[in-house]
Amino acid sequence: LVPLRPFVLRYYRIVWLCAVVSWRVGCASLAVRGRSAAAADALWEMTHRVNARFVYDTVASLGGFWVKLAQATSVSSALPEVYKLELAQLQDAMPADDLPSVHRLLEAELGPEWRSSVKLYDGPPLGSATIAQVHRARLRVVREGGRVEEVEGVVKVQHRHVERSLLIDIGASQIVALLASFAFPHLFQDMRVVVKDLSVLTRAELDFRIEAQSQATARELLAASELGGAVFVPEVFPALATRRVLGMEYVEGENIKEVRRRGASELEVTRIVTALVDAFSLTMHGEIFNCDPHPGNLLVETATGRLAVLDWGQARRLSPAERTAYTRLFMAVAMEDTLLMREACADLGAPQSDFAGPPDPMPNTMVGTLRFLLRDTKQAAQARGDFEQLEAILRQVKGGADADVQISGGVEEICRGALLPFTKTVNLLFEVASSLDVSLPLLQRLISSGYAALLAASPFDVAAELREQLHGPPRFVLAPPLPPAAPRPPPG
């Protein structure tokens, strides 16, 4: 059971945050009336700066589920830049637990002799995020054949009380979902289902043993592919994987955004982002993919320039049927095929309406909205303009006078159930690429691996069939040859 006092206090702080931000925005909306454009812009800038700092301070002190939401939001091109700058600090700079607490947890998870396997370095953690903090260490691991080896590694240690806080936050997040539906009715109708599905993904991060299995699977998948020289996943050590502790290899590198800040060439940044998108093209049509590719989880190795994909707590495992369904979903978006969209969604457990029911344009809207999510990446300023244009279009559609053609749901229809990992991942990929000012045909690159997999799984040898039709004798006669034309009569 969750203790009542922290439960009430966390609820109160979330309600207060929503109330204060809403009040300031409402006051600013009234204050800008009748003012010049320059004065209105200055007033909005000041309001956003105050609100952004208030949101950051509140979320950082609350931690848990709210930081997960803030991390995903911090790369959104829909937000004013000041919010993105403040919330970006939450990607790997959360308050850390003190060292005695870390030692107690290591003893509880690894036993009283934990120091024989883990030798922590002095100093603060390398990073502290939502669920855990990471310390550099010398790790004693046992290889195949019983050979003992000491390696440079890191230890991921779960924060104290994070599980209890998450249980409270999942309930309180319904308030934010209702507020979003009230503030943006043209975008969201009922976000509570989306928040609930997101909480399931977050809850799975609490068991590091599951993360270790996911990370090992992804490492093997990428290492065996042609991308192994450009993208990799750090090695995990099973003997140091418990519910709240995870040991893995140390990667010397820098955050993907730091590559741009240090003045790397456009060619280098484009190479790294292209490798990132191609890796997700492979894994989203494979056994497992990472649902949380925000910049804090992407590291560029100093020695090799390879991209390391970290933090496999939010990972989606796919059955063979689901892999095919995801590929069909990509192809439905590319071809704007609503029938294929219905089939793919049904295979993923998110069926849409059929022709037997009343007219419902939601599948068409889903195709269009997913195509928008999978649009070509571009500079951040242009990406924000795209979102404003989409918002205006959806506002007009939702406010249409003809009830027969109104959208029956909101944008949350593409962000629920099995579609949530898909939309969350592709949106983060777009935002990361655009924030680095890299232009890529996102849909084309993401669909490539899936299309190849579909051809490979086909019972027909497509390539041989094409070769035979192009170079072999004709195999089909569409109509008998026409008789010779009758001679024309001489002109009279």
Side-chain angles (χ1 to χ4, degrees):
L1 294 178
V2 178
L4 182 60
R5 178 178 172 80
F7 179 85
V8 173
L9 287 177
R10 290 181 75 86
Y11 254 86
Y12 168 76
R13 295 190 66 186
I14 291 302
V15 172
W16 179 247
L17 172 65
C18 295
V20 170
V21 171
S22 301
W23 171 258
R24 287 174 178 163
V25 170
C27 290
S29 300
L30 294 175
V32 299
R33 292 181 179 178
R35 296 179 182 267
S36 66
D41 289 344
L43 187 57
W44 276 118
E45 177 70 17
M46 181 179 66
T47 301
H48 288 322
R49 283 187 179 278
V50 173
N51 273 344
R53 171 53 61 171
F54 181 53
V55 170
Y56 168 77
D57 288 340
T58 304
V59 171
S61 61
L62 286 171
F65 184 63
W66 301 109
V67 176
K68 275 294 173 190
L69 290 177
Q71 286 174 341
T73 306
S74 67
V75 295
S76 174
S77 55
L79 276 184
E81 189 66 23
V82 63
Y83 288 93
K84 295 165 65 175
L85 292 174
E86 290 284 357
L87 297 180
Q89 302 176 66
L90 297 170
Q91 289 172 4
D92 56 6
M94 286 295 297
D97 293 340
D98 55 44
L99 204 54
S101 299
V102 172
H103 289 174
R104 285 193 294 269
L105 190 140
L106 287 171
E107 182 176 353
E109 293 292 310
L110 301 177
E113 302 299 324
W114 65 270
R115 286 181 174 84
S116 64
S117 301
V118 178
K119 298 178 181 178
L120 294 180
Y121 282 88
D122 294 332
L126 296 175
S128 181
T130 317
I131 305 295
Q133 60 195 61
V134 177
H135 292 263
R136 189 170 176 182
R138 289 285 295 178
L139 305 179
R140 188 171 182 269
V141 298
V142 180
R143 301 295 190 181
E144 290 185 7
R147 180 172 56 89
V148 178
E149 181 182 354
E150 278 200 2
V151 299
E152 288 292 326
V154 296
V155 176
K156 183 176 180 179
V157 181
Q158 194 171 113
H159 290 310
R160 293 174 299 169
H161 312 310
V162 67
E163 186 169 3
R164 185 183 70 182
S165 299
L166 278 175
L167 294 176
I168 299 172
D169 294 342
I170 288 170
S173 61
Q174 302 298 316
I175 300 173
V176 178
L178 288 173
L179 180 65
S181 303
F182 174 77
F184 307 103
H186 55 289
L187 291 177
F188 311 117
Q189 181 169 309
D190 187 357
M191 285 292 291
R192 288 174 296 178
V193 176
V194 178
V195 171
K196 182 180 178 182
D197 290 337
L198 185 59
S199 70
V200 173
L201 278 177
T202 304
R203 206 187 283 241
E205 292 187 80
L206 294 174
D207 193 338
F208 292 171
R209 293 168 297 187
I210 298 175
E211 178 177 349
Q213 294 171 0
S214 300
Q215 189 164 328
T217 301
R219 176 179 171 83
E220 292 177 5
L221 176 63
L222 281 170
S225 73
E226 60 183 16
L227 293 169
V231 187
F232 74 104
V233 176
E235 181 185 6
V236 294
F237 306 120
L240 298 176
T242 70
R243 195 174 69 85
R244 295 185 293 170
V245 170
L246 179 59
M248 68 187 81
E249 73 169 300
Y250 171 69
V251 178
E252 180 73 42
E254 57 186 345
N255 182 288
I256 191 172
K257 284 201 167 183
E258 292 298 325
V259 175
R260 169 66 76 182
R261 293 192 188 104
R262 68 169 166 80
S265 67
E266 182 179 344
L267 184 63
E268 181 183 1
V269 176
T270 300
R271 176 191 64 79
I272 294 170
V273 174
T274 302
L276 169 67
V277 174
D278 288 347
F280 273 81
S281 173
L282 175 70
T283 58
M284 290 185 77
H285 302 293
E287 185 177 346
I288 192 168
F289 70 90
N290 191 316
C291 305
D292 200 22
H294 67 75
N297 291 337
L298 303 170
L299 204 66
V300 180
E301 190 175 33
T302 303
T304 64
R306 294 188 303 167
L307 181 69
V309 183
L310 312 177
D311 195 351
W312 287 80
Q314 280 195 23
R316 169 79 173 174
R317 284 190 174 271
L318 300 175
S319 66
E322 288 175 322
R323 297 173 208 171
T324 303
Y326 268 112
T327 301
R328 288 155 67 92
L329 188 62
F330 275 113
M331 296 184 67
V333 175
M335 298 186 295
E336 299 184 1
D337 188 332
T338 55
L339 294 178
L340 190 59
M341 168 70 73
R342 284 191 177 97
E343 293 173 3
C345 289
D347 291 341
L348 289 170
Q352 301 298 312
S353 62
D354 53 33
F355 293 112
D360 180 11
M362 191 61 212
N364 289 322
T365 306
M366 284 184 63
V367 169
T369 307
L370 286 172
R371 185 64 187 89
F372 175 81
L373 285 177
L374 287 159
R375 66 198 186 279
D376 294 353
T377 65
K378 58 191 69 178
Q379 294 185 355
Q382 295 175 317
R384 175 161 175 74
D386 287 350
F387 186 86
E388 291 172 348
Q389 184 179 6
L390 174 68
E391 185 182 17
I393 293 172
L394 289 176
R395 192 190 298 273
Q396 292 175 2
V397 173
K398 291 291 283 189
D402 189 352
D404 291 335
V405 297
Q406 288 189 33
I407 301 173
S408 60
V411 173
E412 72 273 6
E413 292 293 330
I414 66 167
C415 302
R416 61 195 308 175
L419 292 177
L420 175 62
F422 173 87
T423 53
K424 180 177 183 289
T425 303
V426 298
N427 181 62
L428 281 172
L429 289 174
F430 173 87
E431 299 292 358
V432 169
S434 295
S435 68
L436 295 170
D437 294 335
V438 174
S439 298
L440 284 178
L442 187 60
L443 176 58
Q444 178 183 335
R445 301 202 75 92
L446 286 176
I447 203 175
S448 59
S449 295
Y451 186 66
L454 275 184
L455 291 180
S458 171
F460 304 102
D461 188 342
V462 179
E465 188 76 16
L466 287 175
R467 282 195 302 270
E468 186 171 348
Q469 291 199 28
L470 286 173
H471 304 294
R475 300 179 57 190
F476 302 100
V477 177
L478 299 180
L482 295 175
R488 292 184 180 183

